[in-house]
Amino acid sequence: MILWELFLSFFRIGFFSFGGGYAMIPVIEYEVLNHGWLDPQQLTYAITIAGMLPGPIATNCAIYVGFTTHGILGALVATIAISLPSLIILLTITHCIANFYHHPILLTAIESLRPIITGLIVYAAVRLALNNQIIGTSDGVDITGFMIMVSTLIILVLTNLNPVFILLAAGGLGILMYY
Amino acid sequence: MVYECKEGKSKCICYGSYLLHSLKLVQLHLVEAMPSFLVGHQDHPLIQATFVGLRPAVVALVLYGAIKSARTTKWKISTTSIFLTSLLLLLFVKIHPGIVIFCGAFGGVVWKYFRNLSLKNNSTLATSQKKVQL
């Protein structure tokens, strides 16, 4: 039963994978938290690990959630489920609707999706920051965390550094400050 | 999975699928090793300290993703209102993000249709006014 629910949830997530990567976090969060597979803290761990490893962040999240829910079989089911929709959509586009690529309605729909994807990513960032008390909640704000977030963002915008180095540095900083 | 490779476009898709599945296997091994390691050691102070530092960095990475996505968008009144509406809906209404995606794309098409319709009406009106003046 859990395997079937895992399959259905990640299949749904895969169908809304417009924008990929971080734009999928709100959809993953919605499904995972609603099913109670992970709590917000564990989800942050999952996203952190998924971001650090090679491969798409959404697939890595799927593997993580699948594994913590139902072991290796769960990881396999979640991976297949999240990959299937893109395979189906891509094959359909290649074989059936290639002639409609430049249709005004399709172009308008794609143009309208861009700001929504930006909105989804901003929402993902806000929720992650709220869940980890990096921005304002009634429980108080982690000022150090806020400072790390702002400085990391500035470094990313100004230097275009590889995110893996940023994550390694942030992990090291955490060890230095809190261990 | 077993694929029979044909020529042309299907051949590309076929080899792409082979590659995708072999890469997925490597990825699966890496990511499944992480949670099993973390479950055993998640209370270790070193792991906890690492994650305290990592969490804000991940939030910054996601925000950077939003900035990069915003750079690819043509910002007009229509796109700005779609962005704000979707963000507010996601923040304050417990709605499935998929519905926001679908409604946004559909809303954009409807907006464009009515805009084109009003532009067409205006141009027809202007032409008929010119004819009357002549």
Side-chain angles (χ1 to χ4, degrees):
Chain A
M1 193 62 189
I2 292 177
L3 281 177
W4 178 241
E5 278 184 29
L6 261 177
F7 181 84
L8 278 182
S9 293
F10 280 99
F11 193 73
R12 266 199 300 270
I13 293 168
F15 256 113
F16 294 113
S17 58
F18 297 100
Y22 296 119
M24 287 174 80
I25 292 174
V27 195
I28 296 172
E29 187 200 32
Y30 187 92
E31 294 285 346
V32 169
L33 296 186
N34 269 11
H35 282 91
W37 288 325
L38 300 180
D39 60 37
Q41 204 72 34
Q42 287 173 314
L43 188 71
T44 313
Y45 280 10
I47 294 164
T48 311
I49 291 163
M52 284 169 73
L53 290 170
I57 191 167
T59 319
N60 289 349
C61 272
I63 298 168
Y64 186 100
V65 176
F67 186 81
T68 45
T69 316
H70 210 275
I72 293 174
L73 199 60
L76 266 172
V77 167
T79 312
I80 292 167
I82 207 165
S83 314
L84 260 184
S86 37
L87 196 67
I88 294 168
I89 293 170
L90 206 69
L91 285 175
T92 317
I93 286 175
T94 318
H95 288 285
C96 305
I97 60 164
N99 296 332
F100 299 105
Y101 266 163
H102 300 292
H103 196 283
I105 293 182
L106 196 66
L107 289 176
T108 312
I110 290 168
E111 199 185 316
S112 311
L113 277 175
R114 286 183 198 278
I116 298 171
I117 288 161
T118 311
L120 281 169
I121 305 175
V122 172
Y123 169 72
V126 170
R127 283 303 300 259
L128 276 174
L130 279 172
N131 288 341
N132 294 293
Q133 280 102 42
I134 294 166
I135 55 171
T137 56
S138 51
D139 304 333
V141 181
D142 174 14
I143 300 290
T144 321
F146 183 77
M147 294 304 287
I148 295 175
M149 182 192 77
V150 173
S151 44
T152 309
L153 188 63
I154 292 170
I155 292 169
L156 278 167
V157 172
L158 295 181
T159 63
N160 211 8
L161 202 69
N162 191 330
V164 174
F165 296 124
I166 300 267
L167 288 174
L168 284 174
L173 196 66
I175 293 171
L176 279 177
M177 288 172 78
Y178 297 99
Y179 186 58
Chain B
M1 281 191 187
V2 180
Y3 300 95
E4 196 184 327
C5 289
K6 293 174 191 168
E7 286 303 313
K9 200 160 48 180
S10 308
K11 194 177 178 182
C12 288
I13 294 169
C14 164
Y15 284 123
S17 305
Y18 272 134
L19 192 69
L20 179 87
H21 284 94
S22 36
L23 285 176
K24 282 269 152 64
L25 276 178
V26 176
Q27 195 184 341
L28 196 68
H29 282 302
L30 277 170
V31 187
E32 82 189 19
M34 274 289 194
S36 51
F37 173 77
L38 276 177
V39 168
H41 302 86
Q42 62 183 349
D43 295 326
H44 194 284
L46 190 73
I47 301 262
Q48 286 192 339
T50 312
F51 273 99
V52 170
L54 278 173
R55 272 183 245 139
V58 169
V59 176
L61 270 178
V62 179
L63 272 175
Y64 181 57
I67 292 170
K68 282 210 286 192
S69 170
R71 280 177 186 163
T72 63
T73 311
K74 284 177 195 164
W75 291 102
K76 297 178 281 187
I77 297 170
S78 57
T79 47
T80 312
S81 43
I82 289 173
F83 164 74
L84 287 174
T85 315
S86 59
L87 184 61
L88 292 175
L89 271 175
L90 286 164
L91 281 173
F92 298 110
V93 185
K94 207 170 186 284
I95 189 169
H96 194 288
I99 299 171
V100 178
I101 292 172
F102 178 77
C103 292
F106 185 71
V109 173
V110 172
W111 175 300
K112 187 110 175 180
Y113 174 77
F114 280 110
R115 198 167 150 263
N116 286 351
L117 204 71
S118 70
L119 284 174
K120 205 174 170 183
N121 284 344
N122 285 346
S123 64
T124 319
L125 199 72
T127 320
S128 56
Q129 277 173 349
K130 268 184 186 174
K131 275 182 184 172
V132 168
Q133 279 174 354
L134 282 168

